[in-house]
Structures are given as structure tokens and as C-alpha cells.
């Protein structure tokens, strides 16, 4: 598996309305997209920082994954996403290496990327996503 | 404040001996340095992923910051570090914008970088470091 860079860092926030001005006005980044991912019950806001995106995640329902995360842990880094060439190939390789997978095969995520999640039990506590453009 | 890229992601782990093989053999990254930062009571291992380093942090004492973090939250992402040109200028700018600072002025961190930490109460839950080479 060849990871080229960190594609994005997913950060759970209580409110995009509160968080976007912090990233823009305080840190000087520029929000270039806001997108709702209905099946994940989140609204996302994207910022580019060098090679890597910051993806802010606001829950749209308390029973979604970010809603549950916020209730349990509060605001903070939710997951790291590594860019790979082919998500299904990488998932298959990780499966053979004994990594516990949340997604056995790739699915579509925000920005139309192919994505797959690894279980934090296998990744030293970091919820890890791998993703690729096609 | 001009953030050029994400300099590193600090990840708290129980054991470098367990975590380094996961990052190397499972994810295919290469550990290029192991360093002890005695005043922070941590042993660190570094991996380069594109522009960004992954900095694994193992506690060397339960009363250090990583020891306390691990006890409270378990393994996972501990902080994000943004690369800036001048840490003291940036800290001063952030202070004026009302950001609560852990470090009022820069200090030396791992790899000889000038660093300063912002308080997660002011940063939407993400313990945030800014750093610069000089």
C-alpha cells in the first residue's frame, strides 16, 4: 500500500456556523465548500492547507456517527484520511494483514471520493480512512 | 497569520514498540527518527507522509502531558501542528484575536523547531500547535 499524503483530517465540531469563522478569521484559512452527506448525517466544510484538507463535520442528527462522537468525546479530531491509489486493493491488502475493517469494499464519500474506513481497534486508536479519486 | 501546511499530527500511543511496526509494516511508512523530549516526558517517532509528519508520542512518565492524555482518553490524535513563518508573531496575532494561549512565547520542541501551543478551549476542541523552523 502506497500512501502518498494525508488527504484530509476530519474534525467534529458542534456548529459550522461557529467553527467556520474560527478557521477563516482566526487561522486565516478559506472555506471552499460546504456539503451535506445525508447518509452520514453530517454537514461538512472544507479548507485546503497545503496538500491536506481540513474537513469540519457538524452532525445533522444525534444518532449519526458524528452526533454520537460529539456526545461521547466532545469536539476534536474524528479521523485521519490517507490518500492511496486504489481503495479496494488497499482494503484487501490490509484485510490480509489482519487489520479490522469497517468497510470491506469502497463506498462513495464527500467530494465523490472512493473511501473505506479501518477500525480504530486495529489502528492504535486513530479512526483511519483511506481514499482515492477513482 | 499564514499557515503553509500541516507540519505534523501528534498521535498518543501506548507503546512505540507496538505502534512503529503498525505504521511501517501495515501502512508502509518509514520511521526516520526516534527522539526523547525529556521536558515533555515523551519519546517520539517520526514518519513523513507527503508534506506532513506523523509524530507518535509514547509517554515516559504517567504525570507527563501524554501520560495524562492516555489515561483520560486512550490512544488517538493528540494535537495538530500548523507550519507558520514566525511563531512569536503568530502567537501575538492570535492573542490579539482573543485566542487562549498555552505558550505566550515560543519554545523549543522536537526536531529543534520553534513551537507554541494554543488552548483547545479556543480552538474548537483541537489541541493546536504552531511551529516554524527558525
Amino acid at each position: 500500500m502506497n500512501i502518498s499524503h494525508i488527504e484530509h483530517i476530519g474534525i467534529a465540531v458542534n456548529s459550522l456556523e461557529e467553527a467556520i469563522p474560527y478557521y477563516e478569521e482566526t487561522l486565516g484559512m478559506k472555506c471552499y465548500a460546504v456539503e451535506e452527506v445525508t447518509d452520514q448525517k453530517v454537514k461538512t466544510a472544507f479548507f485546503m492547507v497545503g496538500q491536506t484538507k481540513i474537513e469540519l463535520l457538524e452532525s445533522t442528527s444525534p444518532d449519526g456517527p458524528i452526533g454520537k462522537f460529539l456526545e461521547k468525546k466532545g469536539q476534536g479530531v474524528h479521523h485521519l484520511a490517507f490518500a492511496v491509489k486504489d481503495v479496494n486493493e488497499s482494503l484487501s491488502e490490509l484485510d490480509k494483514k489482519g487489520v479490522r475493517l469497517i468497510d470491506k469494499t469502497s463506498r462513495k464519500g464527500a467530494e465523490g471520493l472512493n473511501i473505506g474506513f479501518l477500525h480504530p481497534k486495529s489502528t492504535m486508536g486513530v479512526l483511519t480512512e483511506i481514499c482515492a479519486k477513482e
Side-chain angles (χ1 to χ4, degrees), chain A:
Chain A
M1 192 166 69
N2 193 359
I3 295 171
S4 59
H5 62 286
I6 297 169
E7 212 280 334
H8 66 267
I9 300 172
I11 299 175
V13 297
N14 293 331
S15 153
L16 289 183
E17 199 181 332
E18 178 193 33
I20 291 172
Y22 166 70
Y23 279 86
E24 290 202 318
E25 290 155 31
T26 305
L27 295 182
M29 300 175 187
K30 177 80 193 128
C31 178
Y32 69 88
V34 173
E35 184 183 346
E36 188 161 344
V37 185
T38 47
D39 71 330
Q40 289 297 303
K41 299 177 180 173
V42 289
K43 210 162 86 175
T44 62
F46 289 95
F47 304 80
M48 201 79 214
V49 192
Q51 281 179 329
T52 298
K53 292 162 197 155
I54 286 184
E55 179 185 352
L56 300 182
L57 301 152
E58 177 193 275
S59 175
T60 56
S61 166
D63 67 348
I66 298 303
K68 287 178 188 165
F69 179 89
L70 285 166
E71 196 188 334
K72 195 175 162 194
K73 303 199 174 183
Q75 299 189 111
V77 174
H78 176 260
H79 68 274
L80 298 185
F82 297 122
V84 297
K85 277 207 172 158
D86 185 300
V87 175
N88 281 323
E89 264 179 30
S90 300
L91 288 173
S92 162
E93 185 186 326
L94 291 164
D95 187 42
K96 280 178 198 147
K97 285 175 174 171
V99 174
R100 192 170 150 191
L101 304 176
I102 293 174
D103 298 301
K104 292 278 176 195
T105 56
S106 72
R107 58 187 170 87
K108 285 286 171 192
E111 298 195 309
L113 294 180
N114 291 324
I115 68 166
F117 274 91
L118 323 184
H119 198 286
K121 292 249 180 211
S122 286
T123 60
M124 313 286 140
V126 178
L127 177 60
T128 301
E129 177 182 343
I130 55 172
C131 55
K133 279 194 181 153
E134 47 194 347

